[in-house]
Amino acid sequence: MSELYEEKEESLFEAPPMGEQERMVEAILFATTEPITVRELEARLPHGCDPAEALVHLRKRYEGRGVTVTRVGDAWAIRTASDLGFLMQKETVETRKLSRAAIETLAIIAYHQPVTRAEIEEIRGVSVSRGTVDQLLELEWVRFGRRKMTPGRPVTFVVTQDFLDHFGLESARDLPGLKELRAAGLLENRPPPGGDVPRDEDEDESADGQSELFED
Amino acid sequence: MSELYEEKEESLFEAPPMGEQERMVEAILFATTEPITVRELEARLPHGCDPAEALVHLRKRYEGRGVTVTRVGDAWAIRTASDLGFLMQKETVETRKLSRAAIETLAIIAYHQPVTRAEIEEIRGVSVSRGTVDQLLELEWVRFGRRKMTPGRPVTFVVTQDFLDHFGLESARDLPGLKELRAAGLLENRPPPGGDVPRDEDEDESADGQSELFED
Amino acid sequence: MAENLFEEDKVSVSERLAAEALIVDVDGFEGPLDLLLTLSRTQKVDLRRVSVLQLARQYLAFVEKAKALRLELAADYLVMAAWLAFLKSRLLLPPDPTEEGPSGEELAAHLAFQLERLQAMRDAAARLMARDQLGRDFFARGQSEMVTRVRKVTYSATLLDLMQGYARIRTRDDFRPFVMDRESVFTMEQALDRMRGLIGYAGDWTEISTYLPEGWDNDPVRRRSATAATFAASLELVKEGHLEMRQSEMFAPIQLRKRD
């Protein structure tokens, strides 16, 4: 392998050749169950390594194989190919059934993040029961995000890396149907006409969120 | 892949092509918690598969890679290549739950920073042992902040970037307040006597303190 | 929205049957918005083209029916009913140019938007849950590798631990024995004493508020306490046969008169 990368060797100086770096990244990713960030990889590899580039090579190498190199937010993990799930009955873990309220709340957090409790309630039309958010926090699928710059500075909820990992998403941008929902204006936080609630600043804020991530 | 194995296809009849079998064995070896025998593989693969042969191919494929297909007794497993063991140090780390005293001290520092030892003791209602603070310093979750302009000019403690990273926070200001904790169901439901918990001043104070640290 | 104005109240038999089926299942709804969404499906149109006027009628019919069947409806269903009745009148009457606030059409459009957004989130949730999931369709490494050469202890704690720890400390002091704040409490005994001295002069019907002790009507806490005590004392005196009490309707002033 290493001859492929020989032309780089003079600039890498002390760093191992790219083929070696790829092996190292492979070993580290195989050894753990949790996704590992590029930063962590950098810290664990010998000085001067370029894990981001090694990952590109490694990912290509595992294309179409029984296990694949998967991106999870800003981290990476090896996961079995999902078409082989039928072989794994033995490994399947029974997950707690989420209530319909919890599933809807999770979807709202994912698609509208960062989103406040009041906004979730506005969308669902009912108050969010304590158990619901509690359950999602415990699963570590959602966490507290940045506070909103609106009166009362309410906390917000966002989804986590565990969430992305669980649903096989590279990033929150890859949520199914996100673009269409955004184009249809359904991710907006439209205040009721007449403006009983002074929501203007909220508006600005939420535009920063999920919807604006895609402006580019 | 499958063209390599075409000459066998007539005997395999319904079995998937060898390339597929190799993928399946790869996924199973990756996901099982224990090394797995050829007989067990046979039981889990679709009818007519030849796991022994798939293993030969898979083993060859992983030759010289970061991980290898290794025989363990009469079973098979994927293991880190022996020359890369030095990368696995982090995997041998033993994790222990932080003690209650340490968690409480850490929480107080996070919510009230910059905070002196005397202030921590006042909030916790017990004296803070040296070991507790040392442990937090060693973990690099807290560090010394600037001295207070009060008699004795006591040192203060603040939380670090490592702390924020570890707990998935964007800033210590995003930590939820008591009311928000209660709303999320993270607090046993005890009615606050006399209406509100006297937390407002605290909140202002900590907002002041923290903004000093994070605004710039 | 204009075409709605000419719509007849033509609720078909099948719609009515559907509405009755809904009522039996009133507990199955997560609030008024959920119910409205279900009702809107009977219109079998794109949610963006849903007739809000028709929807308001269906909802109001539902609430009427539920009342007739004496089903318990939560307060928010009734609040929504009141709002929809208001919206319905706004949609039916020609707009009054002198009136402030949003037009009926704007309100209707917002309701339609809310319904569409809720439906969109439900669809999104369903699509999310239909994805391949970790531990069900694809899998993580079964065995993390343990190399025993280097041993180091790290400590872990989660954000939940941290927040719960903090909450534990901060709520520990919330518990103190319950002590009544006597300063702002006017007792029934005090009120009885006071009333006994005053009723001799109450030949005509007099409002109960005039019996409140002096100096207790500025602070709302003190006023509440004095009102409650005076009222309780009056009842006691009625029971003893010294007083008569009357009230013409709910929330009307309560009046007292000495009993001869």
Side-chain angles (χ1 to χ4, degrees):
Chain A
M1 252 323 86
S2 53
E3 59 278 11
L4 274 173
Y5 310 103
E6 250 162 19
E7 74 276 15
K8 293 212 156 186
E9 222 139 313
E10 76 272 4
S11 66
L12 288 175
F13 198 53
E14 317 162 56
M18 187 45 75
E20 266 309 294
Q21 294 188 31
E22 197 191 314
R23 283 184 75 226
M24 292 176 181
V25 171
E26 186 178 31
I28 293 172
L29 288 190
F30 258 94
T32 48
T33 58
E34 296 296 309
I36 295 183
T37 63
V38 174
R39 227 180 102 186
E40 284 174 288
L41 283 172
E42 213 155 37
R44 289 176 64 178
L45 292 174
H47 185 73
C49 284
D50 182 355
E53 193 188 333
L55 277 163
V56 172
H57 295 295
L58 194 65
R59 191 177 202 185
K60 192 166 271 163
R61 182 182 294 275
Y62 278 93
E63 257 167 34
R65 299 273 300 273
V67 297
T68 56
V69 178
T70 317
R71 191 191 180 121
V72 183
D74 56 356
W76 295 81
I78 294 183
R79 299 286 179 247
T80 63
S82 51
D83 65 316
L84 299 179
F86 70 97
L87 292 170
M88 307 288 171
Q89 292 97 329
K90 267 195 161 170
E91 275 68 42
T92 306
V93 278
E94 264 314 307
T95 40
R96 195 156 42 136
K97 273 261 177 237
L98 284 179
S99 67
R100 182 175 127 176
I103 291 171
E104 272 180 36
T105 303
L106 178 65
I108 291 169
I109 294 172
Y111 282 81
H112 289 260
Q113 65 173 351
V115 65
T116 67
R117 179 187 201 84
E119 287 163 348
I120 298 171
E121 293 182 340
E122 153 90 15
I123 293 169
R124 294 199 65 230
V126 282
S127 59
V128 177
S129 79
R130 292 133 87 9
T132 307
V133 179
D134 189 16
Q135 201 181 10
L136 296 174
L137 284 166
E138 230 164 78
L139 281 167
E140 298 192 41
W141 285 355
V142 312
R143 63 175 177 85
F144 291 102
R146 197 177 283 172
R147 284 177 188 276
K148 279 235 155 135
M149 290 303 150
T150 49
R153 306 195 66 223
V155 291
T156 61
F157 297 98
V158 296
V159 290
T160 62
Q161 181 179 291
D162 277 10
F163 167 87
L164 298 177
D165 194 12
H166 185 90
F167 291 99
L169 292 162
E170 290 205 357
S171 82
R173 293 177 195 216
D174 300 322
L175 284 164
L178 187 67
K179 259 195 209 129
E180 293 78 4
L181 287 173
R182 188 172 154 253
L186 292 170
L187 300 184
E188 285 164 31
N189 185 11
R190 229 179 265 175
D196 320 331
V197 204
R199 267 273 168 80
D200 315 340
E201 291 161 273
D202 256 9
E203 277 287 306
D204 294 346
E205 263 293 302
S206 69
D208 281 3
Q210 190 62 289
S211 24
E212 214 190 47
L213 280 173
F214 310 92
E215 224 72 273
D216 36 316
Chain B
M1 257 322 86
S2 54
E3 58 282 10
L4 275 175
Y5 310 105
E6 249 160 22
E7 72 279 13
K8 293 219 154 187
E9 223 140 304
E10 75 273 4
S11 66
L12 289 176
F13 199 50
E14 315 161 57
M18 187 46 74
E20 266 307 293
Q21 293 188 33
E22 198 191 314
R23 284 182 77 224
M24 292 175 180
V25 171
E26 185 178 33
I28 293 173
L29 284 190
F30 174 82
T32 49
T33 51
E34 301 286 327
I36 191 166
T37 64
V38 173
R39 264 182 78 179
E40 287 171 305
L41 280 172
E42 211 154 38
R44 288 175 70 169
L45 292 174
H47 185 73
C49 284
D50 182 352
E53 193 187 334
L55 272 165
V56 172
H57 293 294
L58 194 65
R59 202 173 182 186
K60 189 167 272 162
R61 186 185 290 275
Y62 276 97
E63 251 165 38
R65 305 293 317 155
V67 293
T68 57
V69 176
T70 317
R71 198 185 177 117
V72 185
D74 60 350
W76 294 83
I78 296 179
R79 292 272 191 261
T80 311
S82 51
D83 64 319
L84 298 180
F86 71 98
L87 290 170
M88 297 301 125
Q89 293 181 357
K90 213 175 172 185
E91 264 35 74
T92 69
V93 159
E94 200 181 306
T95 42
R96 289 190 201 155
K97 274 260 168 207
L98 209 57
S99 72
R100 181 169 158 155
I103 284 178
E104 289 184 3
T105 305
L106 182 61
I108 292 168
I109 295 172
Y111 275 88
H112 292 266
Q113 65 173 0
V115 64
T116 66
R117 175 190 289 261
E119 287 163 345
I120 297 171
E121 292 182 340
E122 163 148 6
I123 294 168
R124 278 198 71 213
V126 285
S127 66
V128 176
S129 81
R130 232 201 120 80
T132 304
V133 178
D134 283 349
Q135 190 185 19
L136 295 174
L137 285 167
E138 213 169 285
L139 282 167
E140 298 189 39
W141 283 350
V142 311
R143 61 178 177 80
F144 292 109
R146 56 174 93 120
R147 284 178 184 276
K148 274 242 155 121
M149 290 303 147
T150 49
R153 306 198 64 222
V155 291
T156 61
F157 297 98
V158 295
V159 292
T160 62
Q161 186 62 44
D162 275 9
F163 166 88
L164 297 177
D165 290 347
H166 186 271
F167 290 97
L169 291 166
E170 307 199 16
S171 93
R173 277 179 295 176
D174 295 330
L175 280 167
L178 282 192
K179 236 184 256 161
E180 289 151 342
L181 289 175
R182 187 171 284 122
L186 298 176
L187 209 52
E188 309 84 271
N189 194 16
R190 304 146 153 186
D196 230 343
V197 183
R199 166 86 175 106
D200 307 340
E201 320 133 69
D202 276 352
E203 216 129 29
D204 290 346
E205 213 183 289
S206 66
D208 274 9
Q210 292 181 351
S211 41
E212 252 176 80
L213 277 170
F214 294 99
E215 220 81 88
D216 29 329
Chain C
M1 207 65 38
E3 72 273 16
N4 298 338
L5 301 180
F6 307 104
E7 231 168 41
E8 289 301 323
D9 216 324
K10 47 175 183 198
V11 183
S12 70
V13 179
S14 60
E15 273 176 41
R16 207 172 298 139
L17 285 176
E20 277 170 29
L22 290 175
I23 287 169
V24 184
D25 193 31
V26 64
D27 288 335
F29 293 105
E30 273 200 278
L33 205 57
D34 187 22
L35 171 58
L36 277 167
L37 190 55
T38 307
L39 287 172
S40 69
R41 275 195 211 109
T42 62
Q43 295 188 22
K44 297 194 177 67
V45 289
D46 188 328
L47 271 176
R48 266 162 292 181
R49 267 173 222 111
V50 78
S51 158
V52 171
L53 186 61
Q54 197 185 329
L55 196 57
R57 285 197 189 113
Q58 286 173 297
Y59 186 92
L60 293 171
F62 171 90
V63 169
E64 281 312 310
K65 189 88 190 177
K67 275 190 190 154
L69 289 173
R70 295 166 185 257
L71 291 173
E72 281 282 325
L73 276 185
D76 46 346
Y77 284 88
L78 302 177
V79 171
M80 179 61 92
W83 186 81
L84 284 174
F86 163 76
L87 175 60
K88 194 174 123 192
S89 69
R90 280 243 165 159
L91 288 172
L92 287 172
L93 297 173
D96 178 353
T98 63
E99 202 155 2
E100 295 264 310
S103 71
E105 261 112 74
E106 283 169 330
L107 293 171
H110 187 70
L111 179 61
F113 167 73
Q114 283 180 295
L115 291 174
E116 198 193 344
R117 184 174 59 180
L118 179 60
Q119 185 58 53
M121 280 300 111
R122 294 213 165 139
D123 296 343
R127 259 182 296 177
L128 188 64
M129 298 315 280
R131 286 184 70 83
D132 289 336
Q133 293 182 35
L134 180 66
R136 192 187 77 182
D137 306 295
F138 62 96
F139 296 84
R141 183 79 161 119
Q143 38 180 177
S144 321
E145 297 203 29
M146 297 300 247
V147 182
T148 39
R149 270 181 300 163
V150 183
R151 263 194 119 93
K152 191 179 139 199
V153 178
T154 63
Y155 290 89
S156 77
T158 67
L159 186 58
L160 273 191
D161 295 334
L162 190 75
M163 294 185 302
Q164 281 167 337
Y166 185 70
R168 195 164 55 226
I169 310 163
R170 296 311 308 232
T171 52
R172 194 178 40 207
D173 300 333
D174 289 351
F175 298 93
R176 51 172 189 140
F178 184 70
V179 187
M180 273 292 269
D181 186 359
R182 309 293 301 192
E183 218 170 281
S184 303
V185 174
F186 195 67
T187 65
M188 196 178 111
E189 287 72 36
Q190 284 172 290
L192 261 179
D193 282 350
R194 187 179 155 75
M195 297 287 287
R196 285 214 165 94
L198 289 173
I199 49 170
Y201 307 99
D204 274 331
W205 288 108
T206 322
E207 268 189 43
I208 194 168
S209 58
T210 59
Y211 290 90
L212 293 189
E214 276 166 44
W216 284 75
D217 50 355
N218 291 326
D219 176 15
V221 175
R222 286 164 71 87
R223 187 170 62 236
R224 266 201 301 277
S225 172
T227 306
T230 305
F231 180 66
S234 305
L235 288 178
E236 188 62 31
L237 290 170
V238 169
K239 206 168 103 189
E240 289 174 13
H242 300 301
L243 263 186
E244 284 183 304
M245 219 171 171
R246 72 173 187 190
Q247 185 183 29
S248 53
E249 58 179 350
M250 261 204 277
F251 303 114
I254 296 170
Q255 296 177 319
L256 305 175
R257 184 169 75 176
K258 184 184 168 195
R259 187 166 186 169
D260 309 310

